[in-house]
Amino acid sequence: MKNIGTILATSLLSGVVTLGSYKLFFEDTTFLNNTKTLTTSAPLRNVANTAFDAPDFRNAAEKSLHTVVHVKNVSFRNAPRNPIIEYFYGHRGGSQTYAQVGTGSGVIISEDGYIVTNNHVIQGANDLEITLNDNRTFKAKLIGTDSKMDIALLKIDTKEKLPFATFADSDAINVGDWVLAVGNPYNLTSTVTAGIVSAKARNLSENGIQSFIQTDAAVNPGNSGGALVNNNGDLIGINTMISSATGSYVGYSFAIPSNMTRKIVNDLMEYGKVQQGILGVQGYEVNSQIATEHKLNFSQGFYVESVTKNSGAEAAGIKKGDIIHQVDGKTINSFLDLNSIIATKRPNDVVKVILKRNNDEKEVLVTLSKKELAQINFNGFEIENLTQQEQKNLGINYGVKINGISNPRFKRYENELKNAVVLAINGHKIANTESANEILSKLNDQQLRIDLITPRGERLRLIL
């Protein structure tokens, strides 16, 4: 009885404490900010209305599925019939021709059968075969390629009009926007995956000239050349690669923006090759250190270190020390931002450049010049692109030529160094003046190691 009484007393005491606490915290309205009421939870609502509304991709998927095709690349190679006999006795067993088959995806971009895909999907092909979403197959011919940007244009002949993708403005998308990746992974028929835009203007190339859209939509081998579309089903990119240690999707994929793709395709259709214009400036990204050194009242933009002779930038009056912070209404923070805009233009196109000079804003119109005439200057060296004939004579497909020297330290060696070919800067292979400009813009004041070939065929290394 005593234990029962103790339990009863404890229960009563607990109830009193609980009731008192409730009165203190929930009824004594002067306890919190002297307010009259205290809301302890959100008002009850219909659960269906408060749940996250996932986007509806059905229309976008239906629209884009019929514009994406399967691309089969067939190439042929010779191999020994019996490699063991050849190993021990030489070429006695004869050779046999073997077919190698590669697959990928492509996107129909016109009703009369033009198809865009990646250059690496069709590279080295002897035969190209296109399979539509309704399983009809066609032989395709190659119209042209841009290996640098990894774009190829194909054409199939058909008597009927084909469904085709509509190009959207890839500059209008934002990080966080929903996207769909449509392609043929692992040789499957058309497959749709969804994700968001993870980043824009992502550079993964050594030469710093590519500007990818990064997404987390699942892309796997076979998706290359397929479509990246917005939630309207319009084309905003061509899926081209994944970032993976295993070769399969692990989280990020990359697409060539539609604006760049459209420009390349139009050039290939009209001229048979890509027309490349240049602004004619070299420099580097403005940061807080550069802003302090040059007494700038801002820390974003592209600092002009030098201007190409006879370029549109020189004609427009752009000078060393200018800060370019906007081109055609788009903000510029780096060389990649600048290059991604210029890459969508042609020679003789006019762009509006807004720059800062001595902290004053200035607007100029620049007529883009032809890339083949490109020259850059750094550390008193004037460098220009090699012609195709010069590359052929040297047996190389990269490098830039030293056209003149004003650096006092090396002026006495001008006869030996003029017309020498720069092969690498600080270990980075130099493809052309554009890649040299990008590499130099990252090095700033670092010591430079320049590997080159003199006109006499000697290999030298300069330390600047």
Side-chain angles (χ1 to χ4, degrees):
M1 289 294 293
K2 184 178 180 180
N3 290 338
I4 293 174
T6 302
I7 292 173
L8 181 60
T10 302
S11 300
L12 290 172
L13 180 60
S14 299
V16 170
V17 171
T18 302
L19 182 60
S21 299
Y22 176 88
K23 295 285 288 182
L24 176 63
F25 287 101
F26 295 100
E27 290 191 4
D28 187 354
T29 56
T30 61
F31 185 76
L32 286 176
N33 301 325
N34 292 319
T35 58
K36 297 298 182 181
T37 60
L38 177 67
T39 301
T40 58
S41 62
L44 292 177
R45 294 177 182 171
N46 189 316
V47 175
N49 292 333
T50 58
F52 173 73
D53 291 328
D56 186 349
F57 295 124
R58 286 175 295 184
N59 290 336
E62 176 67 20
K63 180 179 177 180
S64 56
L65 273 173
H66 300 294
T67 68
V68 175
V69 301
H70 182 268
V71 180
K72 185 165 76 171
N73 162 0
V74 182
S75 58
F76 300 96
R77 67 182 182 89
N78 292 324
R81 294 180 184 274
N82 193 324
I84 297 177
I85 292 177
E86 180 162 319
Y87 178 79
F88 285 105
Y89 303 106
H91 191 68
R92 294 185 179 180
S95 62
Q96 184 175 348
T97 300
Y98 293 89
Q100 291 182 313
V101 178
T103 60
S105 303
V107 184
I108 304 172
I109 57 170
S110 70
E111 62 182 16
D112 57 345
Y114 280 98
I115 295 169
V116 66
T117 184
N118 286 141
N119 180 64
H120 75 260
V121 169
I122 56 86
Q123 196 167 22
N126 295 104
D127 290 311
L128 291 168
E129 184 179 275
I130 300 297
T131 302
L132 304 184
N133 194 47
D134 59 10
N135 291 325
R136 287 182 296 160
T137 61
F138 298 86
K139 291 293 184 182
K141 61 181 179 180
L142 178 63
I143 301 301
T145 66
D146 182 359
S147 58
K148 182 181 69 174
M149 299 307 301
D150 199 18
I151 288 292
L153 182 64
L154 312 178
K155 178 70 166 64
I156 62 174
D157 293 323
T158 174
K159 294 181 180 179
E160 63 182 82
K161 295 180 179 181
L162 298 175
F164 62 93
T166 301
F167 280 96
D169 181 2
S170 53
D171 289 338
I173 63 168
N174 297 299
V175 173
D177 284 352
W178 283 99
V179 290
L180 298 181
V182 188
N184 301 273
Y186 297 116
N187 232 6
L188 300 171
T189 54
S190 293
T191 300
V192 179
T193 56
I196 62 168
V197 175
S198 305
K200 295 176 64 178
R202 185 71 80 197
N203 176 33
L204 301 178
S205 63
E206 292 182 358
N207 53 25
I209 57 176
Q210 292 178 325
S211 177
F212 293 105
I213 299 170
Q214 178 181 324
T215 80
D216 63 354
V219 170
N220 281 293
N223 271 107
S224 291
L228 187 72
V229 302
N230 58 23
N231 56 9
N232 292 322
D234 298 326
L235 189 68
I236 60 168
I238 299 296
N239 297 316
T240 188
M241 67 172 65
I242 58 177
S243 179
S244 169
T246 64
S248 297
Y249 172 78
V250 292
Y252 297 113
S253 56
F254 302 90
I256 302 166
S258 59
N259 288 358
M260 194 172 296
T261 302
R262 177 167 44 191
K263 188 265 181 183
I264 292 170
V265 166
N266 288 339
D267 282 354
L268 293 175
M269 285 182 176
E270 188 172 348
Y271 302 101
K273 64 177 183 178
V274 177
Q275 304 292 300
Q276 294 178 314
I278 63 165
L279 189 65
V281 295
Q282 299 80 46
Y284 40 83
E285 178 181 338
V286 174
N287 54 32
S288 57
Q289 180 181 350
I290 299 297
T292 301
E293 290 177 2
H294 296 278
K295 298 179 180 179
L296 306 175
N297 58 11
F298 53 93
S299 59
Q300 287 184 320
F302 182 81
Y303 181 86
V304 177
E305 178 63 31
S306 61
V307 179
T308 302
K309 290 183 179 179
N310 303 318
S311 67
E314 183 184 57
I318 296 178
K319 301 178 181 179
K320 177 180 178 179
D322 288 345
I323 311 293
I324 297 174
H325 69 92
Q326 197 176 103
V327 174
D328 279 353
K330 299 179 177 65
T331 301
I332 303 298
N333 292 321
S334 66
F335 175 80
L336 189 61
D337 290 335
L338 184 60
N339 190 72
S340 63
I341 296 172
I342 302 303
T344 64
K345 309 292 184 181
R346 291 176 175 173
N348 298 319
D349 282 352
V350 177
V351 295
K352 183 171 72 173
V353 177
I354 296 179
L355 52 84
K356 297 271 190 177
R357 181 178 294 168
N358 300 323
N359 289 320
D360 294 325
E361 190 165 280
K362 182 178 178 67
E363 179 182 310
V364 297
L365 296 178
V366 181
T367 301
L368 302 184
S369 47
K370 205 168 184 179
K371 183 184 175 183
E372 285 76 6
L373 304 176
Q375 294 180 338
I376 66 171
N377 293 274
F378 77 100
N379 285 68
F381 285 78
E382 185 179 281
I383 290 177
E384 65 180 21
N385 287 327
L386 291 172
T387 65
Q388 291 184 345
Q389 187 60 48
E390 287 171 331
Q391 290 182 341
K392 185 177 180 180
N393 293 342
L394 293 169
I396 58 177
N397 59 0
Y398 65 99
V400 292
K401 181 173 65 177
I402 298 176
N403 199 38
I405 299 173
S406 59
N407 188 318
R409 180 181 170 192
F410 294 96
K411 189 68 176 176
R412 55 181 172 169
Y413 303 111
E414 184 170 11
N415 291 336
E416 294 176 322
L417 295 178
K418 188 172 182 178
N419 295 321
V421 176
V422 177
L423 301 175
I425 298 176
N426 284 21
H428 300 282
K429 187 166 75 172
I430 302 301
N432 47 42
T433 55
E434 197 170 18
S435 63
N437 182 38
E438 169 64 11
I439 290 168
L440 292 168
S441 72
K442 293 178 180 177
L443 297 176
N444 292 339
D445 296 328
Q446 293 182 29
Q447 187 180 64
L448 301 179
R449 303 184 309 278
I450 303 175
D451 296 313
L452 50 82
I453 301 177
T454 69
R456 292 185 296 184
E458 300 172 327
R459 288 184 176 258
L460 297 177
R461 171 172 286 182
L462 296 181
I463 307 296
L464 298 182

